[in-house]
Each structure stands twice: as C-alpha cells, then as structure tokens.
Amino acid sequence: MTLDTNLEHVTSASELNELISSNENVMVCCGRMGPMCVPVYDAMESLRDSGEYDSVVFKDMLFDHPEAAVIRNLPECATFRGLPFTIYYKNGKVAKATSSIQDEDQVTSILKEVY
Amino acid sequence: MDRYDTLIIGAGPAGLTAGIYLSRARQNVLILDSGSGGGQVTLTHAVANYPGTGETYGYKLASEMKKQAVGFGCEILTNQKIRSMELEADEKIIRTEKGDYSGKTVIVAAGGKPRTLGIDSEKKFQGTGISYCATCDGDFFTDEDIIVVGGGNSALEEAVSLTQYAKSVTIVHQFDHFQGYPHAIKAAEENSKISFMMESIVEDFLGEDTLTGVRVRNKKTNENIELNITGAFILIGYVPGSKPFSGVIELNGRDEIVTDEGMATNLKGVFAAGDIRQKKFRQITTAVSDGTIAALNAMEFMYGADPDKI
C-alpha cells in the first residue's frame, strides 16, 4: 500500500529526524488509506492550503513502512490502538499525539494549542 | 453575501451528484460541507457494488466524485458549520461561521454519522481500545478478547472479520434478535470464536489509560456482568445530520427529513437527498439517485418544466 494523498510523504526515520530538527512546527499523520485516516489527511490538506498555518509543515507517513517504527514506537503512542497515529512535533520534540480519527476542528484546536 | 443558483449542504455522493448535474447545466453551485467532504463513503474501506467501477476504496470513489463536480464548475467549501438559515423566502440564505451565502434553491444532503453509545467513558477510550472501524484497527487486537456492539449487518460481518485477529469476539446486542440478513447471522453463529450477549446493553467502559473491561447489563434480569476485554468495536448504525435543520424543515420521528418522491421538502425550493432523508435503503447508489432527482427538480423549480429551458 502507498499513501494516495496530496501531502508530502516521509519515507524514512532519518528524513523525519531531519525534518523535525530543521523545522519548529511539524505535524505528521502516520496511517493507511483507511476510513479513519483519510479524513485526517483531508483536514491537513485543507489547513495547509488555507494558508493560515504556513509555519507548520504537514506530512504523512505510511504506518506499515518499516521505518515508521520511529513513530509507532514512540512512548507517547504506547497506549494507541487506533489508526492513524498523528504526531505534533515542536522544536524536535513530541508536543502532542493523538490516535484514531480527528476532524478539522479537532486538528485546528490542537494546532492552536501546540503552535 | 455570495449569491448562487443552488446551495448544496453536504459533499457526499448525494450532494456531489446534485452538484455535477447542476453545474453541468451551467448553474452557479456552491457545496458547503461541515467536514472535509466525501461523506460516509470515505468511511467505507472497500466499495464493491457501485456499478462501473469494480472494487475500489471508498475514499477514491469520493475523491473522483469531488473532482468531477469541481471539473464542471462546482465550488466546494469545507469545514463550514451552519450558524443560521432562512429557507422560506425566494432568496434562501445560509450563514456559516465563515460566510453568508444565498441561493434560489437549496439541496440538503448532509448525510449522517456513525451512532455512538453516548456513554461518558466511550470518548475516553476512543483510539485506546474503542474503535468504529474493524478494517482499520482489527490488527491492534491480535490474540485479545474483544466485544462488538450492535446487531445489524455491519456488526455481524465485522465481528466475523475480527475473528481473524482476536482470540474471542462477544457480540453485545440490545434486542433478542439480530437485524442483519440471514447469511450474516448464520456466518456469525457458525464462527466458534464468537459468543453472544443478547438483550444486553453496555453500561460503562473500564480502565485507566487503556480499555481493560466493560460492564454490560442484561435488560431482562438487570444483572450486571463485567467482561475483561481490551477492545470494543461500536457498530450501531448511523444518525442523520439533520440537527441544524430541526424546526426549519419537517423531520420525522427519526430526525430524517421528510420528502416526496421528487426530493421536495415542505419548503418551496428546498430539496433533500441521500441518507439525511426519510427512506428505507441507504446505499451509495440510492444517494446518487436522490442527488440526481433533487438536482433535476431544483432546475424545474427555477426554470419550469419546459425541457428547452433546462
């Protein structure tokens, strides 16, 4: 499976580490092309395209990619049992993480809280 | 105020189909969606019975419909929460948190959303044990004991599907019989990993950080039973998204919009299509059919029945 979204994909742990070390605000949605994940990608695309969150880098990552262990194994995701895992990084660290579907309002609320 | 020929509320299959028909007829159409658009079909993993496409993903079908609507000139605005509306006058007005829009006609195709149990603890464990999508999250519960709440086709079929992963699946259902088709009931009954708690309702979900149990009450005996489970899949149908229209458009006792066979509501120039309206069968194909009929009747409302004017 590949991620058929209009977001840019993260394809390796090193790429993710580079991304979060060189950008202050990064949101990564780690999932599949499933019913609970697609609405989150759509919300991210909509918020990215709105221009209101130009300070945030929006990316996705395929949950089943071996390199996605960098997200799957985060301590913040230890209790997660629903796709997608959505991580909000601030200055290279996890500021917030959510499991399962989130609508645009919920994502917006977290963006405002974290960034 | 931005003025259009038709305002469509909801960008699911019904709303998008109406948009395709109207914009192809050179009408100025705005589709407003409270979320990201696509409707419930985006919550469907695989769609195998939509004619002409073969098996496809729900999100792909929705995405193609959106592209088609936009290609014909439809404007789609997402995340538009309705603040107020005036639908009785000739110029119909919808006010959202982001803008005011008017149209000569309105098609309400706001669809529905998965029904929840409404228990406080349900929200607490969403994503950490409680799920509404077996296909998405089933593999998180490999070799574990789980429950499925519900008794319709979705609950029965997903319970069988979850036995690929789970050690055991208990179906908790409020009635003494299932609402599913006989073949779905038979498949569940014949699966050795599935057991049943009939005439029972979930009272509470238990646990600290993750779900570790559930308290179920037998409706007949009032006996409470606690089950040690780590997963709960809630598949109890859908509720129509008609709340913003309550008191404005006629609804039935199930909060569905009442229409005639031409999709007309009790208000002139206001039509309804798809899962939000009163009807027996809710399929993508029936939503598309509703959207078509609503669009054609909206055209007729605006321009009369003379086909040369349409």
Side-chain angles (χ1 to χ4, degrees), chain A residues 15-69:
Chain A
E15 187 187 340
L16 179 66
N17 290 329
E18 168 64 23
L19 187 70
I20 61 174
S21 62
S22 56
N23 293 278
E24 185 181 349
N25 304 320
V26 179
M27 176 183 179
V28 182
C29 182
C30 185
R32 298 175 180 139
M33 288 313 292
M36 298 291 115
C37 304
V38 171
V40 183
Y41 305 137
D42 284 348
M44 291 170 74
E45 286 175 24
S46 168
L47 290 165
R48 179 198 60 190
D49 297 344
S50 73
E52 289 177 38
Y53 294 93
D54 288 343
S55 65
V56 182
V57 178
F58 294 95
K59 299 266 185 173
D60 60 27
M61 190 170 194
L62 182 63
F63 188 83
D64 300 305
H65 194 297
E67 296 269 315

Side-chain angles (χ1 to χ4, degrees), chain A residues 36 81-83 100, chain B residues 122 125-138 140-141 147 149 162 211 231-235:
Chain A
M36 298 291 115
R81 316 195 84 185
L83 288 180
S100 194
Chain B
E122 183 178 2
F125 295 112
Q126 188 179 331
T128 58
I130 290 178
S131 173
Y132 302 87
C133 177
T135 323
C136 307
D137 302 329
F140 287 109
F141 302 93
I147 62 167
V149 184
L162 284 163
L211 184 68
F233 288 81
I234 298 165
L235 302 160

Side-chain angles (χ1 to χ4, degrees), chain B residues 13-27:
Chain B
L16 291 169
T17 303
I20 288 167
Y21 270 77
L22 286 162
S23 54
R24 189 159 185 259
R26 300 182 181 280
Q27 299 304 294

Side-chain angles (χ1 to χ4, degrees), chain B residues 180-192:
Chain B
Y181 290 128
H183 71 268
I185 298 170
K186 189 166 182 273
E189 286 176 341
E190 288 178 350
N191 192 305
S192 60

Side-chain angles (χ1 to χ4, degrees), chain B residues 16-270:
Chain B
L16 291 169
T17 303
I20 288 167
Y21 270 77
L22 286 162
S23 54
R24 189 159 185 259
R26 300 182 181 280
Q27 299 304 294
N28 194 14
V29 178
L30 174 66
I31 304 181
L32 300 165
D33 194 280
S34 62
S36 304
Q40 288 179 66
V41 66
T42 59
L43 302 179
T44 307
H45 195 75
V47 176
N49 55 4
Y50 191 78
T53 62
E55 184 159 323
T56 186
Y57 292 108
Y59 80 89
K60 274 197 168 170
L61 187 57
S63 173
E64 287 303 319
M65 288 182 187
K66 268 193 268 187
K67 271 188 212 161
Q68 202 175 351
V70 171
F72 281 125
C74 263
E75 190 179 340
I76 301 176
L77 296 179
T78 57
N79 209 33
Q80 296 276 332
K81 306 287 186 291
I82 292 175
R83 207 159 36 89
S84 66
M85 65 189 91
E86 292 166 28
L87 300 182
E88 293 193 13
D90 289 345
E91 184 183 32
K92 300 169 193 316
I93 298 166
I94 306 275
R95 295 186 181 87
T96 74
E97 290 169 354
K98 293 181 179 173
D100 297 348
Y101 313 97
S102 82
K104 297 170 197 162
T105 56
V106 168
I107 297 175
V108 182
K113 59 180 184 180
R115 189 186 298 274
T116 62
L117 292 168
I119 300 169
D120 287 343
S121 52
E122 183 178 2
K123 207 168 182 182
K124 177 183 171 185
F125 295 112
Q126 188 179 331
T128 58
I130 290 178
S131 173
Y132 302 87
C133 177
T135 323
C136 307
D137 302 329
D139 58 349
F140 287 109
F141 302 93
T142 300
D143 295 329
E144 298 183 13
D145 299 310
I146 64 172
I147 62 167
V148 168
V149 184
N153 286 315
S154 294
L156 292 161
E157 288 167 4
E158 299 287 38
V160 171
S161 159
L162 284 163
T163 59
Q164 295 174 73
Y165 309 106
K167 186 164 75 181
S168 76
V169 178
T170 303
I171 296 178
V172 179
H173 186 41
Q174 61 177 327
F175 301 122
D176 63 357
H177 62 281
F178 291 112
Q179 283 79 50
Y181 290 128
H183 71 268
I185 298 170
K186 189 166 182 273
E189 286 176 341
E190 288 178 350
N191 192 305
S192 60
K193 282 188 172 182
I194 296 179
S195 58
F196 304 92
M197 293 181 78
M198 305 301 285
E199 295 182 87
S200 298
I201 54 173
V202 173
E203 290 282 322
D204 204 7
F205 292 104
L206 313 170
E208 293 296 328
D209 295 331
T210 60
L211 184 68
T212 56
V214 63
R215 187 163 65 247
V216 177
R217 178 171 62 84
N218 184 293
K219 284 167 66 184
K220 264 171 91 175
T221 64
N222 261 335
E223 182 190 7
N224 278 304
I225 296 172
E226 284 191 11
L227 300 177
N228 294 320
I229 50 110
T230 53
F233 288 81
I234 298 165
L235 302 160
I236 50 175
Y238 290 85
V239 286
S242 60
K243 201 172 173 186
F245 308 98
S246 177
V248 180
I249 303 174
E250 184 187 355
L251 307 180
N252 68 11
R254 293 188 298 276
D255 291 333
E256 300 156 337
I257 293 177
V258 178
T259 69
D260 64 15
E261 64 176 21
M263 308 300 141
T265 69
N266 62 312
L267 299 180
K268 278 187 180 172
V270 179

